[in-house]
Amino acid sequence: MTLRVGVIGTGMIGQDHIRRLTQVVSGAQVVAVTDANEMVAKEVASRLPDATVHPSGQHLVADERVDAVVVCSWGPTHEEYVLAAVAAGKPVFCEKPLATTPEACRNIIDAEVAHGSRLVQVGFMRRYDESYRALKDVIDSGQVGAPLIYYSGHRNPSVPEHYTKDMAIVDTAVHDFDVVRWLLGEELAAIRVLAAKPNSLGGDLQDPLLMIIESASGVLVNVETSVNIRYGYDIRGEVIGETGTAALADRGLVVVRSANRVGVEVPEDWRQRFITAYDVEFQEWINAVSRGLGAVGPSAWDGYAAQVVCDAGVNALYSGDRVEIELGTKPALYG
Amino acid sequence: MTLRVGVIGTGMIGQDHIRRLTQVVSGAQVVAVTDANEMVAKEVASRLPDATVHPSGQHLVADERVDAVVVCSWGPTHEEYVLAAVAAGKPVFCEKPLATTPEACRNIIDAEVAHGSRLVQVGFMRRYDESYRALKDVIDSGQVGAPLIYYSGHRNPSVPEHYTKDMAIVDTAVHDFDVVRWLLGEELAAIRVLAAKPNSLGGDLQDPLLMIIESASGVLVNVETSVNIRYGYDIRGEVIGETGTAALADRGLVVVRSANRVGVEVPEDWRQRFITAYDVEFQEWINAVSRGLGAVGPSAWDGYAAQVVCDAGVNALYSGDRVEIELGTKPALYG
Amino acid sequence: MTLRVGVIGTGMIGQDHIRRLTQVVSGAQVVAVTDANEMVAKEVASRLPDATVHPSGQHLVADERVDAVVVCSWGPTHEEYVLAAVAAGKPVFCEKPLATTPEACRNIIDAEVAHGSRLVQVGFMRRYDESYRALKDVIDSGQVGAPLIYYSGHRNPSVPEHYTKDMAIVDTAVHDFDVVRWLLGEELAAIRVLAAKPNSLGGDLQDPLLMIIESASGVLVNVETSVNIRYGYDIRGEVIGETGTAALADRGLVVVRSANRVGVEVPEDWRQRFITAYDVEFQEWINAVSRGLGAVGPSAWDGYAAQVVCDAGVNALYSGDRVEIELGTKPALYG
Amino acid sequence: MTLRVGVIGTGMIGQDHIRRLTQVVSGAQVVAVTDANEMVAKEVASRLPDATVHPSGQHLVADERVDAVVVCSWGPTHEEYVLAAVAAGKPVFCEKPLATTPEACRNIIDAEVAHGSRLVQVGFMRRYDESYRALKDVIDSGQVGAPLIYYSGHRNPSVPEHYTKDMAIVDTAVHDFDVVRWLLGEELAAIRVLAAKPNSLGGDLQDPLLMIIESASGVLVNVETSVNIRYGYDIRGEVIGETGTAALADRGLVVVRSANRVGVEVPEDWRQRFITAYDVEFQEWINAVSRGLGAVGPSAWDGYAAQVVCDAGVNALYSGDRVEIELGTKPALYG
């Protein structure tokens, strides 16, 4: 009952997912790969026991041995591969973004709705992080009352040269947008983006940013992106409820007393912080797909909503205005 | 060399300061009191060894035995008593607010500038709190880099019936405004006020509020007031710097492990949280005045600036707009 | 390249390990089972795709389809099954204890030494816990200096009726004995056992106990067992080094502020605390065995040493004396 | 109603207490001083408004202007000065130790009992520390159940050259002995002293030490002295109760995130840690004495008991044995 997976895109992320599928999680086998760079695909396949190299994503999707598809190719190609998988009726796990425009996401939604059941899962791995899950449990338990404000802090020690102003929203804050939608269980309705005094370590970049978002029910969400903050990769989250608050705890494992300080470690990078979330994400996807459920995790609608918020955010960043987030009607398929 | 103090206003706060001056701090004696309610003033004086009861604040200020004046009367009367003290060349400690309008504060500034040296100190006691002082030390040390964002959380378990919408700004957030000016060492330049989804425990009150303030240099200051949050009286503060962050620590003294939880206590009210700050504030005022310094703590300018920010905040609350904070020129007396 | 595992003992622990081998970790398949209660063994096998039920552990070890053996039967039977596996030259994972007497453990050591390479791994899962691993990393890094004292706290909310005085040592503290040997990288040399004022919730049980152990190099190890402490399952560990200290951090994931407290959760039971350690333990065992290494985790020597410390501890408990721990010579096989 | 205090011994501690009495606390005046070194006494007096220099402690006690006496002279002289004060019927605050032998302490007890009411207070300032007081409140509240074990950690970054082996007990652990008696509300009954592997930074000193003490009711008390531990001056205390635990919290005021660590400061020395406790200790002593109560803080009995435990501890250190602590009968005067 091993799930036979085909992987489209064998770059860094694809290779990491292949390692995960073959050495970490239970119940899966990688039987097919493809990549824009065929050399890389062949090299990766050579290290797998029985994997076919396909000339294209479409060929891979069509392969009868492939039960389910993982898409980790370049963002602009996601739409066509996901659509191909849906057309073939095969479950597909698509790394972020689902597609690079709201329209492209809508195409996928339309196809999936036409198919009549869920097949698409988007790689918002924070939903599989044990800390976020515990935070959601606390919120849902009611022990701090109804959420009224949420603070989300997304801090990176540094970003590469090619990181541009927009990326603080579409690459960085997009994770916060999704996780907030999931934690609050509702859509986001409007966004403002304010630039703080710029961090001198960030060159010309407008960093940090403070995004003030209103949820549909009126919760104020405060997303801070600080991407040159040096001290560590630090993901903060705190909900202010009617009667109490709940926040992601620091996760350092050892309290060290040394040199007049007592404290714990802060992660160095996203890998250290979220590696386990990726493992859980894939294990749960494999379990669901193997049980005949097309997908139970983040949906095409979630991927679409995140893109719409990103679009509104970029618009707000450049205009300085409060920009409304218009999602249109949510198909019944997405609950 | 005991400082002989006259106290104007012997209500709850006045009586607490008299207790402080006579039983807690070193180097002071209360020699004169007055109150709008003469009965109360007499009753309070009867428990002091050698205190005169005066028919008015002006009489008290004129009393030759009075070296220095403490004003804790009703807010609208502050202006005249502080002006009387300045006219008499006597040091005066005035509880918040310095005066109830920016104009009245300006009158005090003008009088003090005409006098030529500082005589007025305003009761912003947070500057004397050991946690805030330690936070300022960390900021000034440069160990987290230049401040770019500051989060200020002001949480009250509940507020009395007569608490109105404006009071979240002029009574509650005014403390945050002052302490942020002091921590950052610069003026505030503009303010927006956003209402979150209202706490159902707060009746018709618009609570919580999120105030987004820009400092003169561009630091974004986020002031949250949550005044029906039940869980405790909790004062939070965190600066996001270029290379790190620094936050007020929880101050619980005992870590208890019980019933599947480990944690510390959160204060129940402002008294528990700030009682020591009041003691330090008065000891340092007495020390300074006894050494012939008119005042070294929060100045008339600080009292004025806080009122201007409050005015702008109330304006922003009702208009929904970003409102600029216009202070005018700062006299050289205030450095 | 899937490792084919045979499981001896299909009670609660055996079933949990079968679940782990089939649904959690990667690279293993359960192909054979046996149990003293054949009905149970058959029932368990019926839920596996292709598993043989054997009449005895010896038959299971002899099965050619079985690459490696997991022993989770009743403690007194461990010796014979482990010896059978060693005789067959098959890797064997044995749950605690390796055997119930030092002599039986010695028999296994002798057999393994005669075989000439390691085949036996003992289920001391704490060595696979991420917190203990991080603590060991800190110790080994030298950042707190050479260890001089180690505090180990082993706290259970309650214990079953049949829990006897000895069990605080042989069932409970045995975990602390092993993990301390591993953290310090040396043997334990002597032990005293002191009974504290008895917990009235523990009936006639002598609880808590404080064990004062001396390591070979003179480190003082303080093991506290509190097995009726109600508040939670709490595993504490702190090393006092020459220049600093390092302790296992609390692992609560969410900081909740509620009802005048701020804090995190304490685990309810060992499962919540160590479930992941078991998963890691088995994944690493499978990985090692699949690579042709017989075993790389806790060895027969470790199992033997733990039993000798337990024997000395029980002796110390009843005599009230300081009892020396005599291990004899360590075979070269164990490094 | 100012209390007129005479201070015997104007060395470092005496000068610090004079500063405290004149500039920090309320209600006291230093009117007389004396010191073995008359030059120092005169110099100190010259900075006080109206203080007499006496040729001896006896003269100072006899001075009619002196209402109450503070003894901070060399330890071996404490007995005679305290006895002189008791003979004169004057309240006396005596720094640790009350006297240097149990016999000398007994002489003071006898004199005070003969006097018929308490006059003597001993300077065990930890009882005035807010953290210890909060810990005692938690214990007394019953929220962690009856105490069964207590861990006391006394850590110094370093000690002076002249620090000898005994001093870990008579100078360092004596504070732990007193505070444990006070926290548990009972006497200590027996003591063992174990030397851990010696800290190489401590030269020939036997450091750290672990003292295992049994209270009268059977609570096991574990006192660790680590006096070369470099990382800071760190006072730890944790009670293990029947249903939970309670520990002194770290007291750092600012949580700093920097360089991949998050944490707070540890004090550098005892002054930073306990300065406020001394202030409270003196304010409460002045308040009690001014109200005509001879003393309400740590009594001559407490001073005596501490010395007896120290004697037993030194005996245990050299003999390696468990040594019983024999206090004899407690006079009714001490409750």
Side-chain angles (χ1 to χ4, degrees):
Chain A
M1 283 179 337
T2 297
L3 187 74
R4 296 169 304 174
V5 178
V7 177
I8 299 174
T10 57
M12 197 169 63
I13 297 175
Q15 290 182 35
D16 194 48
H17 285 338
I18 290 170
R19 175 192 62 78
R20 182 165 287 116
L21 288 163
T22 53
Q23 296 172 35
V24 180
V25 298
S26 172
Q29 186 187 355
V30 175
V31 298
V33 298
T34 185
D35 194 88
N37 184 333
E38 203 183 350
M39 296 276 284
V40 171
K42 283 185 172 162
E43 199 280 322
V44 167
S46 72
R47 284 178 278 126
L48 295 169
D50 180 26
T52 310
V53 178
H54 285 286
S56 75
Q58 283 77 1
H59 279 88
L60 180 142
V61 168
D63 183 342
E64 288 196 358
R65 288 176 72 222
V66 170
D67 298 323
V69 178
V70 169
V71 177
C72 347
S73 53
W74 190 43
T77 66
H78 288 187
E79 180 187 7
E80 61 175 317
Y81 298 138
V82 172
L83 287 174
V86 173
K90 295 190 179 181
V92 54
F93 178 99
C94 181
E95 260 308 333
K96 294 163 307 286
L98 173 60
T100 50
T101 66
E103 294 67 32
C105 294
R106 266 289 182 194
N107 292 340
I108 291 169
I109 286 173
D110 291 345
E112 197 178 33
V113 168
H115 174 78
S117 69
R118 285 195 54 197
L119 289 173
V120 181
Q121 178 163 328
V122 184
F124 287 124
M125 86 295 177
R126 283 196 187 184
R127 300 188 184 198
Y128 297 90
D129 172 61
E130 60 176 357
S131 291
Y132 271 116
R133 287 185 159 190
L135 180 58
K136 183 158 174 57
D137 285 347
V138 170
I139 294 172
D140 292 350
S141 75
Q143 68 184 280
V144 299
L148 306 176
I149 296 177
Y150 186 80
Y151 295 105
S152 203
H154 195 137
R155 304 191 187 134
N156 261 296
S158 62
V159 281
E161 280 292 318
H162 66 78
Y163 191 92
T164 57
K165 206 164 142 172
D166 294 18
M167 291 171 77
I169 294 170
V170 302
D171 259 40
T172 300
V174 63
H175 288 278
D176 302 81
F177 300 156
D178 178 67
V179 90
V180 165
R181 291 179 60 249
W182 175 70
L183 285 171
L184 299 180
E186 59 170 325
E187 299 297 349
L188 305 179
I191 182 168
R192 283 179 182 87
V193 180
L194 305 175
K197 184 171 174 174
N199 189 329
S200 63
L201 302 170
D204 293 337
L205 210 58
Q206 233 166 7
D207 167 60
L209 296 180
L210 215 53
M211 307 173 201
I212 313 290
I213 304 172
E214 301 156 38
S215 82
S217 78
V219 177
L220 285 180
V221 176
N222 193 326
V223 176
E224 169 209 329
T225 54
S226 290
V227 299
N228 289 285
I229 201 167
R230 296 295 183 268
Y231 79 86
Y233 179 78
D234 203 10
I235 299 302
R236 311 288 304 277
E238 181 169 20
V239 63
I240 312 302
E242 293 197 310
T243 59
T245 74
L248 300 175
D250 284 305
R251 294 165 51 101
L253 297 170
V254 179
V255 178
V256 174
R257 295 168 183 273
S258 174
N260 287 101
R261 307 284 310 167
V262 51
V264 300
E265 216 177 52
V266 170
E268 285 187 21
D269 55 26
W270 63 267
R271 192 176 295 269
Q272 191 183 346
R273 174 65 183 81
F274 284 119
I275 190 83
T276 307
Y278 285 101
D279 297 346
V280 174
E281 176 185 47
F282 269 81
Q283 185 69 67
E284 295 195 9
W285 178 65
I286 290 163
N287 292 352
V289 171
S290 298
R291 287 202 310 275
L293 303 165
V296 295
S299 69
W301 177 261
D302 294 320
Y304 162 71
Q307 282 311 108
V308 176
V309 180
C310 284
D311 264 28
V314 171
N315 187 341
L317 170 65
Y318 288 109
S319 69
D321 294 337
R322 172 180 176 282
V323 175
E324 301 212 345
I325 297 159
E326 311 277 10
L327 289 172
T329 308
K330 181 156 130 183
L333 181 61
Y334 304 107
Chain B
M1 284 184 331
T2 296
L3 186 74
R4 295 169 307 174
V5 177
V7 177
I8 299 174
T10 57
M12 198 170 63
I13 295 175
Q15 289 182 36
D16 195 48
H17 285 338
I18 289 169
R19 176 192 61 77
R20 183 165 285 117
L21 288 162
T22 54
Q23 295 171 37
V24 180
V25 297
S26 171
Q29 185 187 357
V30 175
V31 298
V33 298
T34 186
D35 194 87
N37 183 334
E38 203 184 351
M39 295 275 285
V40 171
K42 283 186 172 161
E43 201 278 321
V44 167
S46 73
R47 285 178 277 127
L48 294 169
D50 180 24
T52 312
V53 178
H54 285 286
S56 74
Q58 283 77 3
H59 279 89
L60 181 143
V61 168
D63 184 343
E64 288 196 356
R65 287 175 72 222
V66 170
D67 298 324
V69 179
V70 169
V71 177
C72 350
S73 52
W74 190 43
T77 67
H78 288 187
E79 178 187 9
E80 60 175 320
Y81 297 139
V82 172
L83 287 173
V86 173
K90 295 190 177 180
V92 54
F93 178 99
C94 181
E95 259 308 333
K96 294 163 304 286
L98 174 60
T100 49
T101 65
E103 294 67 33
C105 294
R106 265 291 182 190
N107 291 341
I108 291 168
I109 287 174
D110 292 346
E112 197 179 33
V113 168
H115 173 77
S117 69
R118 285 196 53 197
L119 289 173
V120 181
Q121 178 164 328
V122 184
F124 286 125
M125 85 294 176
R126 284 197 186 182
R127 300 189 184 196
Y128 297 90
D129 172 63
E130 59 176 357
S131 290
Y132 272 116
R133 286 185 160 190
L135 180 58
K136 183 159 173 58
D137 285 347
V138 169
I139 295 171
D140 293 350
S141 76
Q143 66 184 282
V144 297
L148 306 177
I149 296 177
Y150 185 80
Y151 294 105
S152 201
H154 195 138
R155 305 193 188 134
N156 262 294
S158 61
V159 282
E161 280 293 316
H162 64 78
Y163 191 94
T164 56
K165 206 165 144 172
D166 295 17
M167 291 172 77
I169 294 169
V170 302
D171 260 39
T172 300
V174 63
H175 288 279
D176 302 81
F177 300 156
D178 177 67
V179 89
V180 165
R181 291 179 60 249
W182 175 71
L183 285 172
L184 299 180
E186 59 169 325
E187 299 298 348
L188 305 180
I191 183 169
R192 283 178 182 88
V193 180
L194 306 175
K197 185 172 175 173
N199 190 328
S200 63
L201 302 170
D204 294 336
L205 210 58
Q206 233 166 9
D207 167 60
L209 296 179
L210 215 53
M211 307 172 200
I212 313 290
I213 304 171
E214 302 156 38
S215 82
S217 78
V219 177
L220 285 180
V221 177
N222 194 325
V223 176
E224 169 208 329
T225 55
S226 290
V227 299
N228 290 286
I229 200 166
R230 296 296 183 268
Y231 79 86
Y233 179 79
D234 204 11
I235 299 302
R236 311 287 303 277
E238 181 169 19
V239 62
I240 312 302
E242 294 197 309
T243 59
T245 75
L248 300 175
D250 284 306
R251 293 165 51 100
L253 297 170
V254 180
V255 178
V256 173
R257 295 168 184 273
S258 176
N260 287 101
R261 306 285 309 168
V262 50
V264 300
E265 216 177 52
V266 170
E268 286 186 22
D269 56 26
W270 62 268
R271 193 177 294 270
Q272 192 184 343
R273 176 65 184 80
F274 284 119
I275 191 84
T276 307
Y278 285 101
D279 298 345
V280 174
E281 177 185 47
F282 269 81
Q283 186 69 68
E284 294 195 9
W285 179 65
I286 291 163
N287 292 351
V289 171
S290 297
R291 287 202 311 274
L293 303 165
V296 295
S299 70
W301 177 261
D302 293 320
Y304 162 71
Q307 283 311 108
V308 176
V309 180
C310 284
D311 264 29
V314 171
N315 186 341
L317 170 64
Y318 288 109
S319 68
D321 295 335
R322 172 180 176 280
V323 176
E324 301 213 345
I325 296 160
E326 309 276 9
L327 289 171
T329 308
K330 179 155 134 185
L333 181 61
Y334 303 108
Chain C
M1 284 180 334
T2 296
L3 185 74
R4 296 169 305 174
V5 178
V7 177
I8 300 174
T10 57
M12 199 169 63
I13 295 174
Q15 290 183 34
D16 195 49
H17 285 337
I18 289 169
R19 176 192 61 77
R20 184 165 285 117
L21 288 163
T22 54
Q23 296 173 35
V24 181
V25 298
S26 173
Q29 186 186 355
V30 175
V31 298
V33 297
T34 186
D35 194 87
N37 183 333
E38 202 183 352
M39 296 275 286
V40 172
K42 283 186 172 160
E43 201 280 321
V44 168
S46 72
R47 286 178 277 125
L48 295 168
D50 180 25
T52 311
V53 179
H54 285 285
S56 74
Q58 283 77 1
H59 279 88
L60 181 143
V61 168
D63 184 342
E64 288 197 357
R65 287 176 71 222
V66 171
D67 298 324
V69 179
V70 169
V71 177
C72 351
S73 52
W74 189 43
T77 67
H78 288 187
E79 180 188 6
E80 61 175 316
Y81 298 139
V82 172
L83 286 174
V86 172
K90 295 190 177 180
V92 54
F93 178 98
C94 180
E95 259 307 333
K96 294 165 304 289
L98 174 59
T100 50
T101 64
E103 295 67 32
C105 294
R106 266 289 180 191
N107 292 340
I108 292 169
I109 287 174
D110 292 345
E112 198 178 32
V113 168
H115 174 78
S117 68
R118 284 196 54 198
L119 288 173
V120 181
Q121 177 162 329
V122 184
F124 287 124
M125 84 295 176
R126 285 197 186 180
R127 300 189 184 196
Y128 298 89
D129 172 61
E130 60 176 354
S131 291
Y132 272 116
R133 287 185 159 189
L135 180 57
K136 183 158 173 59
D137 285 348
V138 170
I139 294 171
D140 292 349
S141 76
Q143 69 183 281
V144 298
L148 306 177
I149 294 177
Y150 185 80
Y151 294 106
S152 201
H154 195 138
R155 303 192 188 133
N156 263 294
S158 60
V159 281
E161 280 292 317
H162 65 77
Y163 191 93
T164 56
K165 207 163 142 173
D166 295 16
M167 292 172 75
I169 294 169
V170 303
D171 259 40
T172 301
V174 63
H175 288 279
D176 302 81
F177 300 155
D178 178 67
V179 89
V180 165
R181 290 180 61 249
W182 174 70
L183 285 171
L184 300 179
E186 57 170 326
E187 299 297 347
L188 305 180
I191 182 168
R192 280 179 184 87
V193 180
L194 306 175
K197 185 171 175 174
N199 190 328
S200 63
L201 302 169
D204 294 336
L205 211 59
Q206 233 165 9
D207 168 59
L209 295 180
L210 215 54
M211 306 173 201
I212 313 292
I213 304 171
E214 302 156 38
S215 82
S217 78
V219 177
L220 286 180
V221 176
N222 194 325
V223 175
E224 170 208 328
T225 55
S226 290
V227 299
N228 289 285
I229 201 166
R230 295 296 183 268
Y231 79 86
Y233 180 79
D234 203 11
I235 299 302
R236 311 288 303 279
E238 180 169 21
V239 63
I240 313 303
E242 294 197 308
T243 60
T245 74
L248 300 175
D250 283 306
R251 293 165 52 101
L253 298 169
V254 180
V255 178
V256 173
R257 296 170 182 272
S258 175
N260 287 101
R261 304 285 309 167
V262 50
V264 301
E265 218 177 50
V266 170
E268 286 187 21
D269 55 26
W270 62 267
R271 193 178 294 271
Q272 192 183 343
R273 175 65 184 81
F274 284 119
I275 190 82
T276 307
Y278 286 101
D279 298 346
V280 174
E281 177 186 46
F282 269 81
Q283 187 68 68
E284 296 196 8
W285 179 66
I286 291 163
N287 293 351
V289 172
S290 297
R291 286 203 309 276
L293 303 165
V296 295
S299 68
W301 177 262
D302 294 320
Y304 162 71
Q307 283 311 107
V308 176
V309 180
C310 284
D311 264 28
V314 171
N315 186 340
L317 171 63
Y318 288 109
S319 68
D321 295 335
R322 172 180 178 280
V323 175
E324 301 213 343
I325 297 160
E326 311 278 9
L327 290 171
T329 308
K330 181 156 131 183
L333 182 62
Y334 304 107
Chain D
M1 284 182 329
T2 297
L3 186 74
R4 296 169 305 174
V5 178
V7 176
I8 298 174
T10 57
M12 199 169 63
I13 296 174
Q15 290 182 35
D16 194 49
H17 284 338
I18 289 169
R19 176 191 62 76
R20 184 165 284 116
L21 288 163
T22 53
Q23 295 173 34
V24 180
V25 298
S26 172
Q29 185 187 355
V30 175
V31 298
V33 297
T34 186
D35 195 87
N37 183 333
E38 204 184 349
M39 296 276 285
V40 171
K42 283 186 172 160
E43 200 280 321
V44 168
S46 72
R47 284 178 278 126
L48 295 169
D50 180 25
T52 310
V53 178
H54 285 286
S56 74
Q58 282 78 0
H59 279 89
L60 181 142
V61 168
D63 183 343
E64 288 195 356
R65 289 175 71 221
V66 170
D67 298 326
V69 178
V70 169
V71 177
C72 350
S73 51
W74 189 43
T77 67
H78 288 187
E79 179 187 8
E80 61 175 318
Y81 297 139
V82 173
L83 287 174
V86 173
K90 295 190 178 180
V92 53
F93 178 99
C94 180
E95 260 307 334
K96 293 163 307 285
L98 173 60
T100 49
T101 65
E103 294 68 34
C105 294
R106 265 291 181 192
N107 292 339
I108 292 168
I109 287 174
D110 291 345
E112 198 178 34
V113 168
H115 174 76
S117 69
R118 284 195 55 197
L119 288 173
V120 181
Q121 178 163 328
V122 184
F124 286 125
M125 85 295 177
R126 284 196 186 182
R127 300 190 185 196
Y128 297 90
D129 173 62
E130 61 176 354
S131 291
Y132 271 115
R133 286 185 159 190
L135 180 58
K136 183 160 174 55
D137 285 348
V138 170
I139 294 172
D140 292 350
S141 75
Q143 67 184 281
V144 298
L148 306 177
I149 296 177
Y150 185 80
Y151 295 106
S152 201
H154 194 137
R155 304 193 188 132
N156 262 294
S158 61
V159 282
E161 280 291 319
H162 64 78
Y163 191 94
T164 56
K165 206 163 143 172
D166 293 17
M167 292 171 76
I169 294 170
V170 302
D171 259 40
T172 300
V174 63
H175 288 279
D176 302 80
F177 299 155
D178 178 67
V179 90
V180 165
R181 290 179 61 248
W182 174 71
L183 285 170
L184 299 180
E186 58 170 327
E187 299 298 347
L188 306 180
I191 182 168
R192 281 180 184 87
V193 180
L194 306 175
K197 185 171 174 176
N199 189 327
S200 63
L201 302 170
D204 294 336
L205 211 57
Q206 233 165 9
D207 167 60
L209 295 180
L210 214 55
M211 306 172 201
I212 313 292
I213 303 172
E214 302 156 38
S215 82
S217 78
V219 176
L220 286 180
V221 176
N222 194 325
V223 175
E224 169 208 328
T225 55
S226 290
V227 300
N228 289 286
I229 201 167
R230 296 293 183 271
Y231 80 86
Y233 179 79
D234 203 10
I235 299 302
R236 313 288 302 278
E238 181 168 20
V239 63
I240 312 304
E242 292 197 310
T243 59
T245 74
L248 300 175
D250 284 306
R251 294 165 50 101
L253 298 169
V254 180
V255 178
V256 173
R257 294 169 184 273
S258 175
N260 287 100
R261 304 285 309 167
V262 50
V264 300
E265 217 177 51
V266 170
E268 286 186 20
D269 55 27
W270 62 269
R271 191 176 296 270
Q272 191 184 343
R273 175 65 184 80
F274 284 118
I275 190 83
T276 307
Y278 286 101
D279 297 347
V280 174
E281 176 185 48
F282 269 82
Q283 187 68 67
E284 295 196 10
W285 178 65
I286 291 163
N287 292 352
V289 171
S290 297
R291 287 202 311 274
L293 303 165
V296 295
S299 70
W301 178 261
D302 294 320
Y304 162 71
Q307 284 311 109
V308 176
V309 180
C310 284
D311 264 28
V314 171
N315 187 340
L317 171 63
Y318 287 109
S319 69
D321 294 336
R322 173 180 177 279
V323 175
E324 301 212 344
I325 296 160
E326 310 277 9
L327 288 172
T329 308
K330 180 156 131 184
L333 181 62
Y334 304 108

